[in-house]
Amino acid sequence: MSRDNLPEQSRGRPAAQRPSGGGVERAQPTQAMPAAHQAGALGFVPSPDRFHWWAELSGDVKTYVEGKVGPAVEWWADLHERERDRPYAVVLGPNGLAVTTPKVNQRGQRTQSVRLDKFVPSSLKHAVVQQQATRARSGLRSLMGRGRDEQQPTAAPQLELSEYMRGVLGNLPLEAQQRLQTPFLGSQAVQHYRSYYYGNDEDLDMWLYLAGDRTVTFASGHRSLPAGADPQQASWRLVCYQADVAR
C-alpha cells in the first residue's frame, strides 16, 4: 500500500466501463462463516451521479491511477464527506485498488491523496451472485428447551466494521456478504472500506469494498425492489471480486 498526492483540477472523462469476460472464481468450502448482517435503511438525498464527480478529478489524477491499477474494472466517485464540494474516487483495476482523498497541501493547493493496494499479478477473480425476488417466509421457532448437555450455537465472527457498513452489507444477498467478509475471518483485519449507492429504494446501483493487508474484496451490482417490500425480498445481480495484495 502506498500514498501519493496529485494536483486536483476540474473536468475530465468518465472511467471505462467494466470489460466483459474473465474467469469466474467458484466458492470454496470453509469451516468458519461470517456474520449475516441485518439490512440497514438506505437514505437518499438529491445528488449528482458518479460521472459528475469523476469529471471533477484532473486528468493527471486519472492517468496516474490508471498507470498504477490498470484500466478500470469497477469504479465510483462521489462527494467526500469531510471536504465540501470536493470528490473522492475508488477505482478497482486488474493490478490494484486506488482510493483518492481530497487534501490541501502546505501551499494551500487542492490535491488528491492516492492510496494504493497493489495486487499480485493475475490474482483478481470474480463470481456472479444473483438473487431472485422472494416472498417473506414465516415459521415457528422451537419452544422445546435445550438439554443440559446440548451446546449453544457458536456466534458468527464479526468484523471490525461500522454499524453503517454492517447495514449496507445486510442489504446484499447472503452469498455476497460471505464472499466479501470470509477472507477476513482469521488473522487478517479489515484496514479500510467504503461503499456507495445511487438510485432509489426500487431501483438501486451499489459498489463497496473491504481491504486488508493480504486481500481486497469488492462487489458491484443492481437491486430491484417492489415498492414497500422488505430488502430481503429484492432481486440482485452482483459481481463479487477478490484479489491478493502484493506484500
Side-chain angles (χ1 to χ4, degrees), residues 23 30-31 35 51 55 65 71 80 105-106 112 119 128-129 175 186 227:
T30 178
Q31 293 182 346
F51 292 97
V65 167
H80 193 266
N105 65 20
Q106 295 179 346
Q112 286 279 335
F119 296 159
V128 175
V129 175
E175 181 184 348

Side-chain angles (χ1 to χ4, degrees), residues 40-222:
L42 300 177
F44 298 92
V45 296
S47 174
D49 64 13
R50 62 185 182 135
F51 292 97
H52 169 88
W53 295 112
W54 180 260
E56 294 296 320
L57 295 173
S58 74
D60 288 343
V61 173
K62 297 168 189 173
T63 298
Y64 176 83
V65 167
E66 181 170 351
K68 293 295 185 179
V69 306
V73 175
E74 299 284 0
W75 67 278
W76 82 80
D78 192 21
L79 175 67
H80 193 266
E81 61 272 18
R82 292 191 301 272
E83 296 291 335
R84 184 178 178 86
D85 298 330
R86 297 181 64 195
Y88 77 93
V90 175
V91 181
L92 176 73
N95 303 324
L97 177 75
V99 181
T100 81
T101 303
K103 302 287 186 181
V104 177
N105 65 20
Q106 295 179 346
R107 293 173 296 197
Q109 297 172 321
R110 291 187 168 194
T111 64
Q112 286 279 335
S113 173
V114 183
R115 177 173 186 155
L116 293 168
D117 291 287
K118 296 182 179 179
F119 296 159
V120 173
S122 302
S123 68
L124 181 65
K125 308 295 182 184
H126 75 268
V128 175
V129 175
Q130 298 189 77
Q131 174 179 285
Q132 301 301 317
T134 59
R135 294 183 179 180
R137 292 181 295 177
S138 61
L140 297 175
R141 67 181 178 88
S142 172
L143 298 180
M144 298 293 292
R146 292 182 178 273
R148 180 174 300 177
D149 297 330
E150 186 176 350
Q151 294 182 350
Q152 297 289 337
T154 302
Q158 293 274 0
L159 305 186
E160 292 295 326
L161 303 172
S162 67
E163 286 300 317
Y164 174 78
M165 189 64 173
R166 295 180 196 276
V168 172
L169 282 166
N171 281 274
L172 301 178
L174 180 58
E175 181 184 348
Q177 293 190 47
Q178 292 173 345
R179 286 184 176 276
L180 286 163
Q181 296 181 95
T182 297
F184 307 101
L185 294 183
S187 60
Q188 179 181 200
V190 177
Q191 295 184 335
H192 61 106
Y193 55 88
R194 269 192 176 274
S195 64
Y196 170 74
Y197 55 87
Y198 193 85
N200 53 51
D201 281 322
E202 291 79 35
D203 194 30
L204 177 76
D205 292 307
M206 182 177 286
W207 294 260
L208 68 161
Y209 77 85
L210 306 177
D213 62 355
R214 299 192 301 274
T215 310
V216 166
T217 59
F218 194 110
S220 68
H222 182 79

Side-chain angles (χ1 to χ4, degrees), residues 6-25:
L6 295 158
E8 179 184 290
Q9 53 197 48
S10 64
R11 298 302 151 205
R13 303 176 67 181
Q17 297 296 321
R18 179 174 62 86
S20 60
V24 176
E25 180 264 335

